[in-house]
């Protein structure tokens, strides 16, 4: 992970251990402060000096500094360019203002690290350019939303600019003449902060946009010695605690550190949370911000790392697939968390990132890595509770065979606000370093001007957010909650079971009210056995409705189909579309079977490994093979395959399946082994209050998994079928036998 990350520099200036307490600051007025009021408060002079002395001792830090110097020197050679804003995301003026805030922060940090006044002069000249531009700006000509930005088309980007630039300004402010300092204070930083704080409809939200806004205003308040601005940032525009940073910390994270909007937005929001928290800690350590809610901000760093596989975050909700552990926001999070905890596991993530902050914290990480202190990070099966009290569903992660092994992700979380997708009890599966059972994520090409300036595309609403685009139940071709996220926001799944043993990991949850009169319960297990090459996924989905309905269960997978293990009629001359609305209009149907209750299978190949999915239902179901991309005139959607099981005219049914990784294909050596499934048969039996799934394995072994309808209830369960009887106490039990007869 070696991605170039300009935010490395924009983060650096917040990291120190002491600063001028805000409580000692004076209320701003038309007059300006004495020299003592211009010293850096986000990193002290003594800390900059110590970092400068030690920087060359540690190769990772020295390399980061050299990379930053090369980038800033190139901009200095190009000259000052502060254009009048006119472009939407991805356009020239948008990108230039991004480059400028990165350069302002970088130049400030480099001035402190090198003592070279050229860097301070360059940051000053850029800021004086903004002092001429900003006072005359109104709403951005391409403005989005109710509150357009001024430098950028949305206020969010203005907040990011201010968070970044104020750090560079803090580093050089004491080098400026009184006139230049007054000009920049009064024409750039104070009006920008007041613009953000003066728009409560954005500033007072409990949302990542507001987190950026309060961080920007609060950090500016510390630098300008403005306690009122800091108080607004911490407690909301009314300064009564009903909004603001502290309220966001309390509401947006669960007790486990899971962020309500999911890992992708947890990654994005981590930067302002960590940046401003550090500014608060430096200026008002008595608040104990990193101890708030049992250290939830530090837990958030761990939760975000755990919400990844193969270096990439789980792409649930409005996620872009290529964001991972090397993002600049998480580099900041790792460095801060290590400085606060000394947890050497974090160093293994920093080592893989190959980046550190140009800060005291970054220097500490670089020194620890040079001393060989890194220990492996323990990616483990876990439940990340959702909701501020931890009672609104959960993200469940089942893992076997370590960091690069298998990961089963169950999205049993709450809605995730406006960035949440309509996909309760959705799942993803990773194996062999690949996304095998996939989630589309967002229909968006970030900051690519040709694709609507990088905003969410129309297909984000018509496809990516709709339930059919995910691996969960669809009723009557309607999305969960009628496609209304606000209706879904207060409703979350009920966790029923989570258990881990050496060879079985299992979890279960129930969802009510996603559809009127329909309840569905999903149990999934990651199961290992000596007769299987890799752990397999068992899936059991019980649907209970009050009236006959159409039940669809899609599976979105990654790979090339090798074998269709059922009779299906292909659409070779026409390519019909699955439906007319709610995402169905975006699916081409390539083949379809007749209804049956018999188990069927589909095998595909992905990166040299085969995957066989065996599936069936208790009511007759059709199997359809399709692909996304229909009704997409602007070619905004990726073409991805899916398998759809369809049950018509039933009130109650049960879907069940097993996904098996197996074999190897080496195209270079032209060798194939294990291309055939090691599972001979999948069976399902139902009792009064429990189900049993049975796998007959090649070689004669049999594995059965019993699951109670309500795993939380005590008592004995019994299921009979196929000449066998399975009996157990508790929510679940696994039964293994060496021959075709199961334990009785």
């Amino acid at each position: 992970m070696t991605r170039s990350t300009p935010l490395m520099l924009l983060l650096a200036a917040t990291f120190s251990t002491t600063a001028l307490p805000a409580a000692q600051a004076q209320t701003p007025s038309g007059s300006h402060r004495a020299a003592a009021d211009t010293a850096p408060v986000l990193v002290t002079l003594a800390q900059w000096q110590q970092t400068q002395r030690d920087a060359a001792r540690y190769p990772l830090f020295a390399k980061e500094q050299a990379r930053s110097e090369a980038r800033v020197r190139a901009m200095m050679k190009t000259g000052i360019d502060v254009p009048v804003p006119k472009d939407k995301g991805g356009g020239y003026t948008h990108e230039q203002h991004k480059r400028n805030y990165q350069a302002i922060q970088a130049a400030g940090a480099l001035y402190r690290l090198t003592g070279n006044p050229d860097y301070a002069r360059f940051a000053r000249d850029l800021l004086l350019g903004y002092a001429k531009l900003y006072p005359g700006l109104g709403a951005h000509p391409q403005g989005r939303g109710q509150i357009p930005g001024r430098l950028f088309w949305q206020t969010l980007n203005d907040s990011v600019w201010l968070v970044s630039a104020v750090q560079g300004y803090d580093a050089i402010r004491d080098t400026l003449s009184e006139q230049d300092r007054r000009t920049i204070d009064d024409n750039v930083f104070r009006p920008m902060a007041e613009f953000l704080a003066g728009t409560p409809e954005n500033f007072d939200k409990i949302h990542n946009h507001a987190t950026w806004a309060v961080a920007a205003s609060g950090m500016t308040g510390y630098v300008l010695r403005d306690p009122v601005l800091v108080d607004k940032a911490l407690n909301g525009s009314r300064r009564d605690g009903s909004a603001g940073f502290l309220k966001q910390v309390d509401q947006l994270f669960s007790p486990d550190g899971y962020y309500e909007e999911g890992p992708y937005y947890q990654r994005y929001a981590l930067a302002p949370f960590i940046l401003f928290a550090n500014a608060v800690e430096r200026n008002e350590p008595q608040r104990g911000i990193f101890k708030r809610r049992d250290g939830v901000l530090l837990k958030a760093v761990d939760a975000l790392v755990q919400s990844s596989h193969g270096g990439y975050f789980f792409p649930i909700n409005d996620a872009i697939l290529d964001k991972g552990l090397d993002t600049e926001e998480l580099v900041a999070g790792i460095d801060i968390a290590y400085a606060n905890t000394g947890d050497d596991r974090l160093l293994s993530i920093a080592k893989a990132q190959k980046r550190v902050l140009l800060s005291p914290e970054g220097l500490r990480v670089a020194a620890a890595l040079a001393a060989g202190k890194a220990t492996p990070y323990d990616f483990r099966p876990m439940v990340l509770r959702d909701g501020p009290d931890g009672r609104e569903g959960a993200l469940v992660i089942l893992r076997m065979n370590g960091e690069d092994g298998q990961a089963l992700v169950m999205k049993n979380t709450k809605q995730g606000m406006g960035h949440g997708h309509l996909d309760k009890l959705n799942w993803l599966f990773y194996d062999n370093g690949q996304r095998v059972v996939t989630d589309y994520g967002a229909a968006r090409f970030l900051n690519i001007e040709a694709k609507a300036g990088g905003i969410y595309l129309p297909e984000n609403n018509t496809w990516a957010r709709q339930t059919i685009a995910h691996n969960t139940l669809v009723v009557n071709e309607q999305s969960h909650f009628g496609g209304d996220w606000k209706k879904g926001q207060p409703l979350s799944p009920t966790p029923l079971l989570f258990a881990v043993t050496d060879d079985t990991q299992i979890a279960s949850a129930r969802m009510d009210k996603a559809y009127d009169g329909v309840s569905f319960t999903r149990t999934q297990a990651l199961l290992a056995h000596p007769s299987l090459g890799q752990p397999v996924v068992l899936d059991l989905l019980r649907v209970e409705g009050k009236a006959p309905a159409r039940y669809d269960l899609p599976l979105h997978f990654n790979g090339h189909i090798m074998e269709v293990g059922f009779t299906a009629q292909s659409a070779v001359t026409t390519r019909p579309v699955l439906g007319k609305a709610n995402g169905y209009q975006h699916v081409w149907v390539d083949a379809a079977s007749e209804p049956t209750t018999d188990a069927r299978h589909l095998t595909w190949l992905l990166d040299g490994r085969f995957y066989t999915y065996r599936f069936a239902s208790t009511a007759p179901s059709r199997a359809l093979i399709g692909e996304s991309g229909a009704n997409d005139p602007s070619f905004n959607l990726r073409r991805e395959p899916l398998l759809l099981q369809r049950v018509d005219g039933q009130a109650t049914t049960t879907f069940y399946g097993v996904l098996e990784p197996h074999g190897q294909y080496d195209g270079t050596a032209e060798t194939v082994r294990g291309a055939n499934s090691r599972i001979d048969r999948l069976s399902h039996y139902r009792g009064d209050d429990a189900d049993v799934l049975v796998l007959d394995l090649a070689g004669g072994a049999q594995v059965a998994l019993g699951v109670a309808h309500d795993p939380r209830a005590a008592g004995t369960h019994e299921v009979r079928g196929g000449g066998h009887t399975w009996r157990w106490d508790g929510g679940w039990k696994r039964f293994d036998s060496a021959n075709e007869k199961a334990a009785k």
Side-chain angles (χ1 to χ4, degrees):
M1 293 177 285
T2 58
R3 189 179 303 160
S4 176
T5 52
L7 193 56
M8 296 304 92
L9 291 168
L10 75 85
L11 294 170
T14 57
F15 305 101
S16 63
T17 57
T18 60
L20 186 66
Q24 298 177 8
Q26 304 175 37
T27 302
S29 66
S31 63
H32 281 260
R33 310 288 167 258
D37 282 343
T38 67
V41 297
L42 302 179
V43 176
T44 68
L45 292 175
Q47 289 160 345
W48 278 127
Q49 291 165 358
Q50 181 66 46
T51 304
Q52 179 185 21
R53 284 193 297 269
D54 293 343
R57 295 178 56 192
Y58 307 112
L60 189 57
F61 194 93
K63 183 178 180 181
E64 189 72 46
Q65 181 175 328
R67 180 167 36 234
S68 301
E69 290 194 68
R71 185 163 54 246
V72 174
R73 282 286 176 183
M75 286 194 68
M76 292 169 67
K77 185 176 181 180
T78 300
I80 303 299
D81 182 6
V82 182
V84 176
K86 67 175 183 178
D87 299 315
K88 54 188 176 182
Y92 173 75
T93 60
H94 179 100
E95 293 302 305
Q96 184 59 34
H97 288 302
K98 284 175 58 179
R99 286 188 288 268
N100 284 347
Y101 72 62
Q102 293 160 1
I104 292 166
Q105 196 284 325
L110 291 171
Y111 164 68
R112 290 299 174 187
L113 291 172
T114 67
N116 187 336
D118 289 346
Y119 292 122
R121 284 192 288 266
F122 177 60
R124 177 203 63 191
D125 292 346
L126 271 173
L127 288 168
L128 288 173
Y130 279 98
K132 293 179 181 179
L133 173 71
Y134 192 80
L137 295 180
H140 193 283
Q142 297 286 341
R144 295 183 60 225
Q146 295 180 333
I147 313 169
R150 294 181 176 178
L151 288 175
F152 300 91
W153 64 338
Q154 60 176 345
T155 306
L156 173 63
N157 300 89
D158 284 46
S159 300
V160 175
W161 191 100
L162 187 55
V163 166
S164 312
V166 76
Q167 296 173 77
Y169 184 49
D170 181 60
I172 68 160
R173 193 165 178 260
D174 66 346
T175 72
L176 303 179
S177 68
E178 183 177 350
Q179 180 177 348
D180 285 345
R181 190 163 53 249
R182 179 184 299 113
T183 298
I184 294 170
D185 280 4
D186 292 348
N187 292 340
V188 182
F189 288 100
R190 185 166 287 115
M192 288 191 75
E194 290 175 350
F195 164 63
L196 296 175
T199 52
E201 55 269 48
N202 176 66
F203 193 79
D204 289 342
K205 282 184 176 180
I206 306 299
H207 188 271
N208 76 78
H209 286 215
T211 306
W212 279 100
V214 299
S217 297
M219 292 168 68
T220 300
Y222 284 130
V223 172
L224 299 183
R225 280 62 169 179
D226 185 341
V228 173
L229 194 55
V230 172
D231 192 31
K232 287 183 177 181
L234 291 170
N235 294 301
S237 63
R238 293 188 295 273
R239 302 171 63 188
D240 61 359
S242 62
F245 184 73
L246 299 178
K247 188 76 169 181
Q248 291 172 14
V249 172
D250 293 347
Q251 291 294 311
L252 287 173
F253 292 100
S254 81
D256 298 326
Y258 180 80
Y259 181 73
E260 180 170 343
E261 294 178 280
Y264 177 82
Y265 273 93
Q266 181 157 351
R267 177 271 322 168
Y268 185 61
L270 191 67
F273 272 113
I274 291 296
L275 286 167
F276 190 33
N278 271 277
V280 172
E281 182 70 14
R282 283 20 170 199
N283 288 270
E284 300 181 79
Q286 70 276 11
R287 289 187 179 273
I289 190 64
F290 283 118
K291 296 180 181 178
R292 192 178 182 91
R293 296 187 63 207
D294 193 29
V296 73
L297 288 177
L298 298 176
K299 288 182 180 180
V301 176
D302 181 70
L304 183 56
V305 175
Q306 293 287 355
S307 301
S308 69
H309 182 81
Y312 293 93
F313 300 125
F314 302 143
I316 62 176
N317 294 338
D318 279 345
I320 294 175
L321 300 181
D322 60 1
K323 291 293 186 180
L325 298 180
D326 58 349
T327 57
E328 53 261 38
E329 299 91 348
L330 188 57
V331 172
I334 292 295
D335 289 3
I336 298 163
Y338 182 74
N340 280 272
T341 66
D343 184 351
D344 290 338
R345 300 174 311 137
L346 299 174
L347 295 174
S348 65
I349 304 299
K351 183 177 181 180
Q353 291 170 332
K354 301 179 182 178
R355 305 299 302 271
V356 291
L357 303 172
L358 292 181
S359 70
E361 281 71 15
L363 188 70
R364 181 173 175 181
V365 168
L369 285 171
K373 293 183 178 180
T375 59
Y377 195 90
D378 59 330
F379 289 91
R380 60 194 184 276
M382 67 188 317
V383 174
L384 291 171
R385 292 172 294 170
D386 199 357
D389 59 0
R391 298 179 181 178
E392 298 178 77
L395 186 74
V396 179
I397 307 168
L398 307 181
R399 296 185 192 267
M400 286 188 176
N401 297 320
E403 176 182 358
D404 299 323
Q406 294 73 37
L408 169 61
V409 182
M410 301 176 66
K411 191 195 170 199
N412 305 334
T413 60
K414 62 186 298 188
Q415 182 63 34
M417 299 188 290
H419 285 299
H421 287 184
L422 303 158
D423 60 344
K424 298 303 179 195
L425 310 193
N426 180 24
W427 69 291
L428 302 85
F429 180 64
Y430 297 81
D431 174 63
N432 196 32
Q434 299 293 322
R435 301 181 180 102
V436 180
V437 175
T438 62
D439 190 284
Y440 192 90
R444 182 185 191 187
F445 295 85
L446 186 64
N447 283 342
I448 296 180
E449 190 172 13
K451 290 297 186 182
I455 63 173
Y456 292 102
L457 296 164
E459 290 77 13
N460 201 59
N461 288 325
T462 61
W463 169 250
R465 298 186 67 194
Q466 300 293 332
T467 305
I468 188 62
H470 303 93
N471 308 301
T472 191
L473 179 73
V474 189
V475 179
N476 292 328
E477 300 188 14
Q478 302 291 313
S479 287
H480 294 179
F481 315 112
D484 184 352
W485 73 264
K486 293 182 179 179
K487 181 179 178 182
Q489 183 65 16
L491 303 172
S492 56
T494 301
L496 303 175
L497 170 66
F498 175 76
V500 173
T501 68
D502 289 342
D503 58 9
T504 307
Q505 300 177 12
I506 185 170
S508 183
R510 185 182 68 245
M511 186 65 216
D512 301 312
K513 299 183 180 179
Y515 299 101
D516 292 339
V518 177
S519 174
F520 57 105
T521 302
R522 191 165 213 166
T523 301
Q524 293 191 301
L526 196 57
L527 180 152
H529 190 278
S531 295
L532 297 168
Q534 305 292 337
V536 300
V537 177
L538 271 68
D539 183 31
L540 181 69
L541 177 63
R542 292 189 301 106
V543 188
E544 298 173 319
K546 293 182 178 179
R550 166 170 284 180
Y551 296 134
D552 287 339
L553 183 61
L555 181 83
H556 297 265
F557 62 92
N558 184 18
H560 192 94
I561 293 175
M562 294 288 102
E563 181 183 14
V564 178
F566 52 91
T567 301
Q569 183 176 357
S570 297
V572 293
T573 58
T574 61
R575 206 180 191 196
V577 175
L578 186 59
K580 296 181 179 180
N582 306 317
Y584 280 71
Q585 74 274 24
H586 289 305
V587 178
W588 283 302
V589 178
D590 292 320
S593 77
E594 294 299 321
T596 181
T597 57
D598 294 338
R600 293 162 286 194
H601 73 270
L602 183 73
T603 299
W604 63 90
L605 177 66
L606 174 63
D607 194 33
R609 183 165 289 175
F610 298 94
Y611 296 88
T612 295
Y613 180 60
R614 296 182 182 275
F615 58 96
S617 57
T618 55
S621 66
R622 300 178 68 198
L624 295 83
I625 298 174
E627 186 180 54
S628 60
N631 291 303
D632 179 24
S634 298
F635 305 99
N636 288 332
L637 291 175
R638 301 188 303 271
R639 274 48 172 165
E640 297 183 347
L642 73 150
L643 171 70
L644 181 77
Q645 298 177 69
R646 169 167 287 177
V647 171
D648 275 315
Q650 300 291 323
T652 298
T653 193
T654 297
F655 296 95
Y656 56 97
V658 57
L659 176 62
E660 175 196 4
H662 58 93
Q664 182 180 18
Y665 170 69
D666 187 333
T668 301
E670 300 182 3
T671 59
V672 180
R673 65 174 180 83
N676 295 322
S677 168
R678 298 286 297 170
I679 299 174
D680 291 337
R681 185 183 178 196
L682 167 68
S683 305
H684 167 265
Y685 302 99
R686 180 166 181 170
D688 292 337
D689 61 357
D691 293 272
V692 170
L693 287 179
V694 180
L695 302 180
D696 291 316
L697 307 182
Q702 187 179 85
V703 179
L705 185 69
V707 182
H709 291 172
D710 186 354
R712 300 168 301 176
T716 300
H717 310 283
E718 181 176 291
V719 176
R720 299 172 181 265
H724 309 299
T725 299
W726 296 271
R727 185 179 295 108
W728 72 95
D729 294 327
W732 71 283
K733 187 172 182 179
R734 172 174 166 168
F735 304 85
D736 286 16
S737 63
N739 52 50
E740 293 184 355
K741 291 185 178 180
K744 294 185 178 181

